[in-house]
C-alpha cells in the first residue's frame, strides 16, 4: 500500500491532467462508489483576485483514486457529475481565523490515521466508521468553515 502522502502527491500531479491552471486540491477523504471504497479529492480553480482575497470558488472537479495504489481512476467535472448542492456563482471566504493551523507533525498524525483506515479496508474489506469520523473531524478542524461542506458532501459515508 502506498502511503497517503505519496498518494496525495500523485493526486496533485494528476489533477486536471497536469494542466497549468492555478488550482488547489483537497485533502484526501473516502467515498463509496458502486460498492467500493475510493480515495476522493475535490479540485478548485482560482484566479489572481481569488488568491489575493482568499475568496475561492466552489470545486470545479473531483476525482476518485484506487484505495491501495492511489492511481486516479476517474476525474469528474462538477458541471456534468456534481457531488455538491452549492451554486457555481458564489465565492467562499477562506480567511477563517478559527481554523486550526496544523503543524507538520499534526498532518503526519492525521495521515497515519487515514492510512490505518485504508489498510483495514484493503486487508478485510471493511473500515472503522468511528475512526474515519475522527479522521474527517481532524480534516474539518483545519478547513475554513465555508469549505467544510465540500468535504462532507464528497465523503458520502
Amino acid at each position: 500500500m502506498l502511503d497517503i502522502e505519496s498518494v496525495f502527491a500523485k493526486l496533485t500531479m494528476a489533477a486536471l491532467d497536469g494542466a497549468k491552471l492555478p488550482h488547489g486540491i483537497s485533502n484526501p477523504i473516502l467515498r463509496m462508489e458502486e460498492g467500493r471504497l475510493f480515495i476522493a479529492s475535490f479540485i478548485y480553480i482560482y484566479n489572481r483576485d481569488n488568491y489575493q482575497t482568499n475568496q475561492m470558488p466552489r470545486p470545479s472537479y473531483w476525482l476518485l483514486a484506487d484505495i491501495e495504489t492511489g492511481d486516479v481512476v476517474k476525474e469528474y467535472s462538477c458541471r456534468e457529475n456534481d457531488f455538491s448542492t452549492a451554486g457555481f456563482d458564489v465565492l467562499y471566504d477562506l480567511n477563517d481565523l478559527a481554523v486550526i493551523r496544523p503543524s507538520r507533525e499534526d498532518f503526519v498524525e492525521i495521515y497515519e490515521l487515514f492510512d490505518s483506515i485504508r489498510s483495514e479496508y484493503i486487508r478485510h474489506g471493511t473500515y472503522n466508521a468511528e475512526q474515519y469520523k475522527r479522521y474527517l473531524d481532524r480534516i474539518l478542524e483545519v478547513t475554513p468553515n465555508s469549505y467544510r461542506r465540500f468535504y462532507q458532501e464528497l465523503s458520502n459515508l
Side-chain angles (χ1 to χ4, degrees), residues 92-157:
Y92 296 86
D93 185 2
L94 302 188
N95 296 303
D96 193 339
L97 299 177
V99 169
I100 294 172
R101 301 289 176 217
S103 67
R104 171 81 178 123
E105 292 78 26
D106 290 331
F107 264 113
V108 167
E109 182 182 309
I110 292 168
Y111 283 169
E112 282 175 353
L113 180 58
F114 193 68
D115 280 342
S116 72
I117 297 163
R118 292 173 53 223
S119 179
E120 178 183 338
Y121 184 78
I122 292 163
R123 286 194 325 266
H124 304 293
T126 61
Y127 73 97
N128 183 319
E130 199 172 294
Q131 200 174 23
Y132 180 65
K133 182 186 179 326
R134 201 164 52 244
Y135 170 78
L136 190 56
D137 287 347
R138 294 287 308 273
I139 291 297
L140 295 177
E141 285 176 357
V142 301
T143 303
N145 277 327
S146 64
Y147 245 53
R148 289 178 183 175
R149 72 176 292 171
F150 300 118
Y151 282 97
Q152 292 164 326
E153 289 176 315
L154 184 57
S155 184
N156 61 356
L157 302 178

Side-chain angles (χ1 to χ4, degrees), residues 17-105:
D17 291 326
K20 300 294 182 200
L21 291 170
H23 67 277
I25 186 167
S26 71
N27 284 295
I29 55 175
L30 296 177
R31 182 174 176 89
M32 187 70 70
E33 289 284 319
E34 299 175 7
R36 273 183 63 203
L37 207 55
F38 290 91
I39 298 169
S41 286
F42 58 80
I43 304 159
Y44 55 97
I45 298 171
Y46 57 86
N47 61 32
R48 182 187 311 236
D49 288 340
N50 301 135
Y51 181 78
Q52 289 175 338
T53 62
N54 215 17
Q55 304 280 319
M56 296 293 168
R58 58 150 293 157
S60 301
Y61 296 89
W62 60 284
L63 54 83
L64 296 175
D66 181 88
I67 194 137
E68 186 171 358
T69 66
D71 293 338
V72 173
V73 295
K74 190 71 176 166
E75 185 173 305
Y76 298 99
S77 165
C78 290
R79 295 223 184 251
E80 295 169 14
N81 185 1
D82 208 351
F83 68 89
S84 177
T85 59
F88 284 92
D89 56 346
V90 177
L91 293 178
Y92 296 86
D93 185 2
L94 302 188
N95 296 303
D96 193 339
L97 299 177
V99 169
I100 294 172
R101 301 289 176 217
S103 67
R104 171 81 178 123
E105 292 78 26

